[in-house]
Amino acid sequence: MDWRLTLLYLVVGALVAAWLLWRFKNRRMIQMTNKLPGPPPLPLLGNALVFMNRPEKILDKIGELMEKHGDIIKFWLGPELNIVVKNPTDIRVLLSSSKVNQKGPVYDCMIPYIGGGILSGGPTWRSHRKIVIPSYNKKTIENFFPVFNKECEELGKIISQKGSVTFDCYDDVLRSTTQSVNQTLMGLSKEDSENVTRLEEFIFITHDMYNLIFDTMTKWWLHVPPLFWLLGKKKQQNFYMQICDELSEDIVRRRKKALEVSVPSEECMGIVDRLILSGELTHKEIKEETLTLFTSSQEVAGKIAAGVLLFLAHLPEWQEKVYKEIIEVVGPDGPITGDQLKQLENLDMVYKETLRFFPIGGMIQRTVMEDISIRDGSITLPAGSSLVIPIHHVHRDPRYWENPNKVMPERFLPENAKKRDPNAFVPFSLGPMDCLGRTYGTALIKTVVVWVLRYAKLEPAGSLDDLRLNIAISVTSYDGYNIRARPRNERING
């Protein structure tokens, strides 16, 4: 017999043996989920071939499977069982349970950049989150408003002077939110904030870095180290990791040096100082959590704020409502407070519609630590499986959202919201691993909008009907946030 044929038999035999052994070891999980609908899996590969699409098409494929099989489906990626749950009531039960409070395996793709902490859900996430939580409470955030007001007023002036040209407002908004985050959560002075190592480079490569992470999450072949290297992904990863390391190192170095001179008051302290002063983290862990909370604050706030401005430019009647409300509640000038922002109901509706349309996480994954049942015990998710919540699809389910692909802030009017299952809107996730910075981000984003509208009248560039979505962890506008702007006549004449 030819040695090559012998080798082939041995390889095939080894693979079959491995598959049979895996099925034996996981027979309980397989038996428990046999009745769950989903595409039929192949030996060894599972349903991996079903998801051999461009990353932005992955959510579309999951949407197709749910349309065919229902609100609860399963699929296998090799040996990994994923159970997708779309029903809002089931989502609340699952995400609120202590049995599902670990991030899923896809978050391992973030570890090279940010370590195994707060965002990636490693073993230290709970203790590290507890340390930084005080920087996100209402009292501390109120003390951050002087920075918010100063940076956002400057942004309003910049945007109002753009003239009649079309521009992507995300670039200017991102620079503004970055400065606000640096001078609050990062604890930096204005001078330090403007001179952080590789800052400008970092904030504009973040999108590409997230694309690489999402590629790694969604393309199973990139989990094979030789392929990851041969396809040039390792080189890209190393490039991004170097920038991340130098930026976080500089921020932490500056704060350590500043703390040798004085310690901020408890009510004004940023997260970097808390991590340093806790004495519980290594230098490497401090850097990783610093980068985590930096990029998940300035970048996310920048995207959502740009989305609000984009929608206001395309919805002149809502822009007028929001602007009039700002003048009535806050006035045309002067600093803004958190209590005033809470009174801006029209702005809040546009903000929520932006979060619905552009969710921060298009899809989230959790590891099921213990068996957990839903629907009066008729369905059980077995320990060891991964729970997938397709937030993008929940936010566009026509059973809860009329004309779900249309931008309609009025859907958040109280009389409309009360008709809808409240769990059909989960922009910040739920449970113990919900979004840490939701209150901080909301305050910063709304302050951005108030100051921009005080200075500028926004106008559309193109049509919302032509808006294309890009999905790379979060959902964004594929073609940018393009608008036009001109100074408000009231301010010129005044």
Side-chain angles (χ1 to χ4, degrees):
M1 182 181 293
D2 187 279
W3 70 268
R4 286 168 292 192
L5 189 57
T6 302
L7 179 61
L8 177 62
Y9 284 150
L10 289 173
V11 170
V12 171
L15 291 174
V16 170
W19 178 64
L20 291 173
L21 178 62
W22 173 84
R23 284 188 65 85
F24 177 76
K25 287 183 176 179
N26 293 276
R27 62 191 182 280
R28 179 176 178 272
M29 180 187 292
I30 294 170
Q31 290 168 357
M32 289 179 69
T33 57
N34 268 341
K35 294 182 180 179
L36 288 181
L42 295 172
L44 297 174
L45 293 176
N47 304 112
L49 298 181
V50 174
F51 294 97
M52 288 189 70
N53 290 283
R54 297 194 308 274
E56 65 271 18
K57 295 295 182 182
I58 297 297
L59 284 183
D60 290 343
K61 179 56 67 174
I62 289 177
E64 291 172 13
L65 291 175
M66 286 187 293
E67 192 163 329
K68 180 178 180 180
H69 298 289
D71 281 349
I72 299 181
I73 65 168
K74 68 177 179 184
F75 63 86
W76 294 88
L77 293 179
E80 180 191 322
L81 172 62
N82 289 269
I83 300 175
V84 184
V85 178
K86 185 183 176 186
N87 179 272
T89 302
D90 296 333
I91 289 172
R92 173 161 289 279
V93 171
L94 291 167
L95 290 183
S96 300
S97 172
S98 60
K99 297 178 181 180
V100 193
N101 65 359
Q102 292 292 333
K103 294 288 180 75
V106 296
Y107 290 87
D108 292 346
C109 300
M110 294 183 173
I111 290 177
Y113 307 88
I114 60 175
I118 292 172
L119 184 58
S120 57
T124 60
W125 76 265
R126 195 185 299 273
S127 60
H128 290 185
R129 179 174 170 127
K130 186 176 180 180
I131 291 169
V132 301
I133 275 178
S135 291
Y136 294 95
N137 66 35
K138 180 182 176 182
K139 188 172 183 180
T140 303
I141 292 171
E142 197 63 45
N143 288 322
F144 291 159
F145 267 91
V147 172
F148 291 173
N149 280 298
K150 182 179 179 182
E151 293 300 329
C152 293
E153 180 175 15
E154 183 63 28
L155 173 65
K157 292 176 181 178
I158 290 170
I159 287 182
S160 71
Q161 298 303 315
K162 292 290 185 178
S164 59
V165 299
T166 296
F167 68 101
D168 186 345
C169 68
Y170 174 68
D171 294 346
D172 293 307
V173 171
L174 182 61
R175 286 191 176 92
S176 179
T177 58
T178 298
Q179 286 300 315
S180 288
V181 168
N182 276 353
Q183 296 171 57
T184 55
L185 294 179
M186 298 296 105
L188 300 173
S189 66
K190 176 68 172 178
E191 181 181 359
D192 279 347
S193 178
E194 292 178 333
N195 292 286
V196 172
T197 298
R198 305 191 80 165
L199 177 62
E200 185 79 3
E201 188 177 4
F202 174 84
I203 63 177
F204 289 108
I205 60 97
T206 306
H207 176 75
D208 294 333
M209 183 175 76
Y210 282 172
N211 279 336
L212 175 59
I213 294 172
F214 193 67
D215 269 359
T216 311
M217 287 178 170
T218 54
K219 293 179 178 178
W220 59 267
W221 56 92
L222 291 182
H223 292 245
V224 181
L227 290 178
F228 191 73
W229 182 81
L230 286 170
L231 292 171
K233 303 300 182 181
K234 181 63 177 175
K235 183 177 181 180
Q236 291 179 38
Q237 184 185 75
N238 289 341
F239 172 70
Y240 297 140
M241 286 172 59
Q242 182 66 31
I243 295 175
C244 291
D245 182 73
E246 292 182 21
L247 177 134
S248 59
E249 175 69 37
D250 194 38
I251 292 174
V252 173
R253 178 189 62 80
R254 290 174 187 270
R255 287 315 304 158
K256 282 186 173 180
K257 184 176 180 181
L259 288 172
E260 293 174 359
V261 178
S262 65
V263 176
S265 65
E266 174 67 22
E267 294 80 10
C268 299
M269 190 177 293
I271 60 102
V272 183
D273 292 355
R274 293 185 190 279
L275 293 169
I276 293 170
L277 295 172
S278 73
E280 297 181 21
L281 287 79
T282 65
H283 181 71
K284 182 174 183 292
E285 288 175 325
I286 294 171
K287 287 170 55 179
E288 289 169 345
E289 299 295 21
T290 293
L291 183 73
T292 295
L293 298 174
F294 170 75
T295 187
S296 62
S297 299
Q298 50 83 231
E299 198 259 353
V300 170
K303 285 178 179 176
I304 300 301
V308 175
L309 297 179
L310 174 70
F311 288 160
L312 288 173
H314 283 273
L315 303 172
E317 71 283 4
W318 275 95
Q319 183 177 172
E320 189 62 21
K321 284 182 186 179
V322 172
Y323 177 68
K324 285 184 176 180
E325 188 177 56
I326 290 169
I327 299 304
E328 291 172 3
V329 174
V330 187
D333 296 288
I336 302 155
T337 67
D339 288 337
Q340 288 174 326
L341 288 180
K342 290 178 182 178
Q343 299 175 54
L344 301 178
E345 296 175 356
N346 289 316
L347 173 55
D348 189 60
M349 284 187 274
V350 180
Y351 170 62
K352 287 178 177 176
E353 177 66 348
T354 306
L355 288 170
R356 183 196 71 86
F357 202 91
F358 294 127
I360 297 167
M363 180 172 61
I364 61 174
Q365 187 191 58
R366 299 286 184 266
T367 296
V368 180
M369 307 301 293
E370 302 176 38
D371 292 356
I372 181 169
S373 297
I374 53 177
R375 302 192 179 183
D376 297 323
S378 63
I379 294 175
T380 299
L381 281 66
S385 61
S386 293
L387 166 68
V388 176
I389 306 296
I391 292 177
H392 175 66
H393 296 97
V394 176
H395 284 185
R396 289 170 182 261
D397 191 323
R399 291 173 295 182
Y400 312 109
W401 309 97
E402 180 185 358
N403 297 320
N405 295 318
K406 187 176 180 181
V407 180
M408 298 169 54
E410 61 269 24
R411 67 175 86 247
F412 287 98
L413 284 165
E415 59 268 30
N416 292 331
K418 68 172 60 174
K419 303 173 188 175
R420 184 172 55 243
D421 187 325
N423 301 308
F425 183 58
V426 283
F428 302 108
S429 186
L430 295 169
M433 302 192 85
D434 66 352
C435 178
L436 178 63
R438 60 190 301 173
T439 304
Y440 176 94
T442 298
L444 176 54
I445 291 163
K446 290 184 177 180
T447 305
V448 165
V449 178
V450 169
W451 277 107
V452 169
L453 290 190
R454 276 173 160 180
Y455 276 91
K457 189 165 185 176
L458 309 178
E459 298 174 347
S463 169
L464 283 181
D465 294 335
D466 299 324
L467 188 64
R468 297 187 294 169
L469 298 181
N470 180 66
I471 300 170
I473 301 178
S474 58
V475 180
T476 59
S477 172
Y478 183 87
D479 299 303
Y481 301 82
N482 299 307
I483 61 173
R484 291 191 289 267
R486 55 186 174 84
R488 286 202 173 268
N489 292 331
E490 304 95 306
R491 186 170 290 277
I492 294 175
N493 295 334

